[in-house]
Amino acid sequence: PNAPKTVETALTKAYIPLGFDDNDRIQIAVAGSFKNTCYKVGPHALKVDAENKTITVQQQAYLYNGVCLQMFVPYSQIVDVGIIPTGDYRVVDALSGQTLAQLPVTMGSNPGPDDFTYAPVNDAYVFDDPDTNKHMLAISGSFGDRCSDFDKISVNVKNDVIIVQPVLRRISDVS
């Protein structure tokens, strides 16, 4: 009797990093807002229609009984799209039929999953630097060997998404 109901909920935005190829495992972030605190993020379903170049996301929520604060509660969820053929896809909300974003998928330039080797990142977070009053991004991880070092860290902002790429280089002589 205390189990929540599962209800379909509308998405309002999809956040799409640029640079996906037809050999990449694609993940996107979707977001929406609940009308009160009795809703919690539930499962999602995904339908990729490669022929019509659409990706339809059906987001569900758990609706609990009880006292609810009447306020908008934003939520987000990472959705695994997987590997899909090249093309310009529309990401569509299943409930409203609205196009949330465009997802361009290009042909890969090599048989590997990426154009570069990236640093293994375990965590990333943003903090305010009190000395400069600017936002700073910190990433942490560990190299699996002594022959890798950072080549560069490129940062780009496109379509409300910050894309951070910590590119590695191999070092032949480590002392």
Side-chain angles (χ1 to χ4, degrees), residues 16 29 49-50 60 69 77 102 112 138 148 159:
I16 313 287
D49 183 347
Q60 295 181 334
L69 296 177
Q77 175 139 288
Q102 298 293 324
S148 299
N159 302 328

Side-chain angles (χ1 to χ4, degrees), residues 47-56 83-90:
K47 180 182 175 194
V48 176
D49 183 347
E51 184 177 322
N52 293 312
K53 303 292 187 242
T54 59
I55 300 167
T56 305
I83 297 174
I84 59 176
T86 61
D88 291 320
Y89 291 81
R90 289 184 318 117

Side-chain angles (χ1 to χ4, degrees), residues 18-27 82-84 105-118 165:
L18 296 180
F20 287 118
D21 299 333
D22 62 352
N23 59 5
D24 291 333
R25 184 177 142 248
I26 297 174
Q27 291 182 309
I83 297 174
I84 59 176
V105 178
T106 60
M107 183 174 291
S109 61
N110 64 58
D114 292 305
D115 294 336
F116 305 102
T117 302
Y118 296 109
Q165 295 172 301

